[in-house]
Amino acid sequence: MDLDAFFAEHPMGDPVSPPVPEGFRSGFLALVGRPNAGKSTLLNAIIGKKIAITSDTAQTTRHRFRGVLTREGFQLVIVDTPGIHKPHDALGDELNTSAVKALEGVDVAAMLIDATQPIGRGDEWVAAQLARARCPKVCVLSKTDLATDAQVSAQREAAEALGKWDAMVALSAVTGRNVEAFVEEAVHFLPEGPAWFPPDMETDQPLEVMVAEFIREKVLRSFHDEVPHAIGVAVEEMSYVRKTDLTRIYAIIYVERDSQKGIIIGKRGAAIKQVGTEARADLELLLGTRVFLDLSVKVKKNWRRDAAQIRRFGYGEGA
């Protein structure tokens, strides 16, 4: 689907579906929480396919975007957000602002809390931001597949003390346990109304952004703590050749220092070749075509401290 053409024809705020049966529910659900709480993994589990990237690295999610789940009787629009954290640069400030603003105007908000980690000051700060939202609030204890029953029980008690919850669900997005129960809780709080997106639409994320993010995910997973926060990815060109069923993608991986460029490229280009191989496999699933992927690496010094550059990458609230 050509999203630019679609939104030009149907600006946000105008329902796009034909009249729906009485009792149809639709609305927006925001997922918030600290970094690595499992928000993107839960979004993917709800949609039933990968639309958001995941890794163990903080600030993996830099875009605020929507996943759309449409079923008989409801349309749930899930707003995935960057993890809320103590910022160390302009990029961190932008991501926090984006996450907090996601709470404005949603119909229900869910705070994810890792069931395997003690609740700390970061969780308390997120809960305080959530308390300002004028909507039903669901507490989600995530990653229960990694927690013992005793941990989940203790975490439930600690979470109850964080704020006033309209519902609480313990789930595992990896195994699928209680994911449907969470969806049912969220839909319960939605108002009756028309669908805001076509029934076959799964995300409002522009295709070029998804491609760039899928590439960045492979960099994060390949290099872990070496260069993750300094990585930005931009798709320079993308075209589809119907005759050969081939999508050609030219993308640039940006870093902040020459030493980081050397790490990404690797000895005789081995590291970037591996990133390209792994990214191409995901991109072929995403696009449904064969993919030719050309990756290059450039240095853009201190881009995370440059608000204008952050917006050029599409990160943050002003993007």
Side-chain angles (χ1 to χ4, degrees), residues 11-210:
M12 283 300 294
D14 295 332
V16 300
S17 298
V20 294
E22 183 178 354
F24 189 88
R25 294 178 179 271
S26 68
F28 292 76
L29 160 70
L31 302 179
V32 298
R34 294 175 62 188
N36 294 328
K39 299 179 296 296
S40 296
T41 304
L42 178 57
L43 172 61
N44 289 338
I46 292 172
I47 299 301
K49 66 184 295 185
K50 180 176 180 176
I51 61 172
I53 68 171
T54 62
S55 82
D56 293 332
T57 303
Q59 295 185 25
T60 295
T61 300
R62 290 176 174 174
H63 294 271
R64 191 180 83 199
F65 70 99
R66 292 175 281 256
V68 184
L69 178 67
T70 304
R71 293 180 182 169
E72 184 177 355
F74 72 85
Q75 183 177 87
L76 179 65
V77 184
I78 307 124
V79 184
D80 190 21
T81 66
I84 299 176
H85 63 290
K86 183 178 180 180
H88 300 288
D89 48 39
L91 174 60
D93 286 330
E94 286 283 351
L95 298 183
N96 271 359
T97 298
S98 180
V100 173
K101 279 189 170 293
L103 296 172
E104 298 177 0
V106 297
D107 299 288
V108 57
M111 176 178 172
L112 272 69
I113 299 174
D114 186 339
T116 69
Q117 300 293 325
I119 289 177
R121 294 170 63 181
D123 295 295
E124 293 171 356
W125 193 85
V126 175
Q129 306 308 306
L130 186 58
R132 302 176 184 177
R134 297 181 178 180
C135 65
K137 303 168 184 66
V138 180
C139 180
V140 176
L141 304 181
S142 63
K143 305 184 182 181
T144 59
D145 56 304
L146 302 177
T148 65
D149 290 343
Q151 281 180 303
V152 173
S153 179
Q155 199 76 319
R156 184 184 298 274
E157 184 175 341
E160 287 175 347
L162 276 180
K164 184 178 180 181
W165 307 106
D166 295 282
M168 184 176 292
V169 179
L171 57 76
S172 167
V174 172
T175 67
R177 177 177 178 268
N178 280 344
V179 170
E180 282 300 311
F182 170 64
V183 170
E184 290 176 7
E185 288 284 5
V187 171
H188 171 74
F189 294 114
L190 298 183
E192 292 188 10
W196 298 95
F197 293 91
D200 60 343
M201 194 171 184
E202 296 173 322
T203 179
D204 72 342
Q205 188 86 311
L207 190 56
E208 288 81 0
V209 171
M210 293 184 70

Side-chain angles (χ1 to χ4, degrees), residues 208-256:
E208 288 81 0
V209 171
M210 293 184 70
V211 169
E213 288 294 271
F214 277 33
I215 295 168
R216 186 168 67 89
E217 176 190 59
K218 301 312 176 187
V219 177
L220 295 179
R221 293 189 173 189
S222 295
F223 299 99
H224 303 291
D225 297 328
E226 294 155 296
V227 291
H229 301 306
I231 296 296
V233 179
V235 173
E236 294 294 293
E237 182 182 340
M238 187 165 68
S239 60
Y240 173 63
V241 182
R242 184 179 300 276
K243 184 177 180 180
T244 57
D245 191 34
L246 179 71
T247 301
R248 291 182 174 273
I249 300 171
Y250 296 85
I252 300 175
I253 300 171
Y254 287 94
V255 294
E256 292 185 315

